[in-house]
Amino acid sequence: YNYRLFLYVLLLNITGVLIIRSASNQDISMVLKQIVGILVGLTAVIILSLVDYHKVVSVAPLIYGTSLAFLLAVLVFGVSRGVARRWLVLPVIGQIQPSEFVKISFVFFVAAMFYQSTDRETIIKTTVVAALHVLVLVLSKDLGSALIFFVAYMTMLFVATSSYLWFGAGIAGGSLAAVAAYYLFPHVRRRVEAWADPWSDIANKGYQVAQALFAIGTGGWFGMGLYRGMPEKIPVVDKDFVFAAISEEMGALYALCVLFLCLGCYMQFMLIAIKMQAMFYKLIAFGLGSVYITQVFLTIGGVTKFIPSTGVTLPLVSYGGSSIVSTFIIFQVIQGLYVLKRGEEEEEENSSEEE
């Protein structure tokens, strides 16, 4: 078992619970919901430890159909918060964000397709399916998730084919789509304008970014102290902008530690991915790793004004049951691959000793 990865997850979860209490004006109900999400995630981890991932190859079409059906359900019946339509309301369960789980099934689907073949026909078919996922997310105005899907697919395509031609064509297509999104969606233009110059309209479209920068600056290196800041002044601070609350109350040094923990998780993902010999498992590790690090980059980059805000959460830290559970699933899959690889190495050592 990779105990280093387990420690990283534990530290990020503790940070999340602490800062959510502050960001919610010490609302215990939100803290309890976050803890319930963690417990559900741990339950999913136990269940997934019994699953043979290789069997996914035979049900790849089913995965594709189910994933796309969930995204279409959000597009038609989903609930909007702000601009994006991301949530479904289900009986008993309540609100869930299907895209958080679909990104995992999407990675498994692409891995299964490229494991079977990387010929021209398979690449085109898989690209069409990937484009359909991204298109539905764009129509739901969930552009942050669409970008995560795109990066994951491009990463897996390059790992599977090692073709700079396919990779370059994908990047060119994605760049054109980004330009089109800027002109087609007013909220994208607003976010880009707020990123470029939040001070020109600080009371309106630049308010969120400006408040986040004020919070980071106020915290300094060591922070104002837990529950002594004013994170509630930042809209959706418990989700998209949780990194600003961490910087304000715990300081830039602690915020950097959180960033390094996230990078440490990603490095563990990549070390496992590189060691995997079976292409199917290698693709899964690279795909889930790209999903994770892209989400971290989009969240922290948006808060620090490095890139425009995209409305995605910081994994394991931000408030949200769907985000917590899906991230636990991602980490358990990686842990499963680590255990599998360790088992193979031990078998090789034993066989060499017998010889």
Side-chain angles (χ1 to χ4, degrees), residues 134-145:
V134 173
L135 178 61
V136 174
L137 287 167
V138 169
L139 292 176
S140 300
K141 297 183 180 179
D142 187 0
L143 301 185
S145 295

Side-chain angles (χ1 to χ4, degrees), residues 294-337:
T294 303
Q295 193 162 339
V296 170
F297 173 74
L298 292 178
T299 306
I300 296 179
V303 171
T304 57
K305 198 180 169 292
F306 186 73
I307 58 172
S309 173
T310 54
V312 298
T313 56
L314 185 59
L316 299 174
V317 180
S318 294
Y319 176 74
S322 297
S323 176
I324 285 288
V325 175
S326 65
T327 308
F328 264 93
I329 292 173
I330 289 174
F331 275 75
Q332 174 53 32
V333 172
I334 297 298
Q335 286 281 18
L337 296 180

